[in-house]
Amino acid sequence: MEGLNVIAFYILAGFSVFSALGILFAKNVVHAVFMLVLVFLGIAGVFIISNAEFVGVTQIMIYIGGVLILMMFGIMLTHRIDGKRLETQNRRVIAASLLGFGLLGVLLYPLSEGFPLFDFEKGGESGLNVTEQIGVHLMTTELIALEVTAVLLLMALVGAAYIAGHNLKKKHGTD
């Protein structure tokens, strides 16, 4: 089974790297955001095969489900307001390539010794896996902090909607 995890890791890592290269060479900003979705999916897959299911699902829900969708709406609305085509300009390609290959060398040097995968046991003493342990901890000892965070995020959402509506009324002259 460990050999299959290593193969899956290299496939997902390669998928993420080629998607990241797609971001670099995309002329259209919308295409670059779609490539970023693929990068985040590949990284989430790496987390999941590394037995970090909670981090993988969190990666999908927060980055893909929240941040990237927000970016897409922002790009789509900005594109319609300006009326111009959103395109990127690739400047300093040689310097960026040299820096990227240098960082690749720094990252590959420790991996030259081998590729160890940590083997999580099924729950240890409690019999729960890592995701279940995090869930039990959040719903028992950290419940107040979790609820306060939820209320704070809800207040931020209502405040943002109010500010956006107020600015829209000012723009159209209705108050």
Side-chain angles (χ1 to χ4, degrees):
M1 189 67 169
E2 186 176 315
L4 188 60
N5 277 350
V6 172
I7 292 170
F9 170 79
Y10 283 119
I11 289 172
L12 289 168
F15 177 75
S16 296
V17 167
F18 284 118
S19 298
L21 288 174
I23 294 171
L24 292 177
F25 296 116
K27 294 275 187 197
N28 191 338
V29 177
V30 176
H31 295 160
V33 171
F34 282 133
M35 288 292 166
L36 191 59
V37 169
L38 295 178
V39 169
F40 285 150
L41 277 174
I43 291 171
V46 169
F47 284 134
I48 289 171
I49 65 165
S50 299
N51 292 329
E53 299 92 3
F54 181 76
V55 179
V57 171
T58 304
Q59 171 94 11
I60 291 171
M61 288 186 348
I62 291 176
Y63 285 113
I64 295 172
V67 173
L68 285 177
I69 299 304
L70 183 66
M71 286 174 58
M72 279 303 300
F73 280 126
I75 289 171
M76 288 169 25
L77 291 174
T78 305
H79 178 66
R80 288 188 180 162
I81 292 171
D82 291 345
K84 298 178 189 174
R85 184 174 171 89
L86 293 175
E87 292 187 359
T88 60
Q89 296 177 356
N90 297 329
R91 300 181 190 164
R92 300 184 185 116
V93 175
I94 295 172
S97 298
L98 290 174
L99 181 66
F101 284 122
L103 288 174
L104 181 67
V106 168
L107 291 173
L108 288 179
Y109 177 72
L111 291 178
S112 64
E113 302 297 321
F115 186 74
L117 285 177
F118 186 76
D119 188 26
F120 287 95
E121 304 241 348
K122 179 74 175 166
E125 301 155 4
S126 65
L128 302 173
N129 65 20
V130 176
T131 306
E132 291 168 340
Q133 289 174 3
I134 291 171
V136 167
H137 183 70
L138 280 176
M139 291 299 173
T140 55
T141 59
E142 301 296 330
L143 185 61
I144 299 295
L146 185 67
E147 291 299 325
V148 168
T149 304
V151 170
L152 182 67
L153 289 172
L154 179 64
M155 289 171 33
L157 180 65
V158 170
Y162 175 76
I163 291 171
H166 186 66
N167 288 340
L168 188 62
K169 284 181 183 179
K170 275 186 177 179
K171 185 177 180 181
H172 291 296
T174 58
D175 209 12

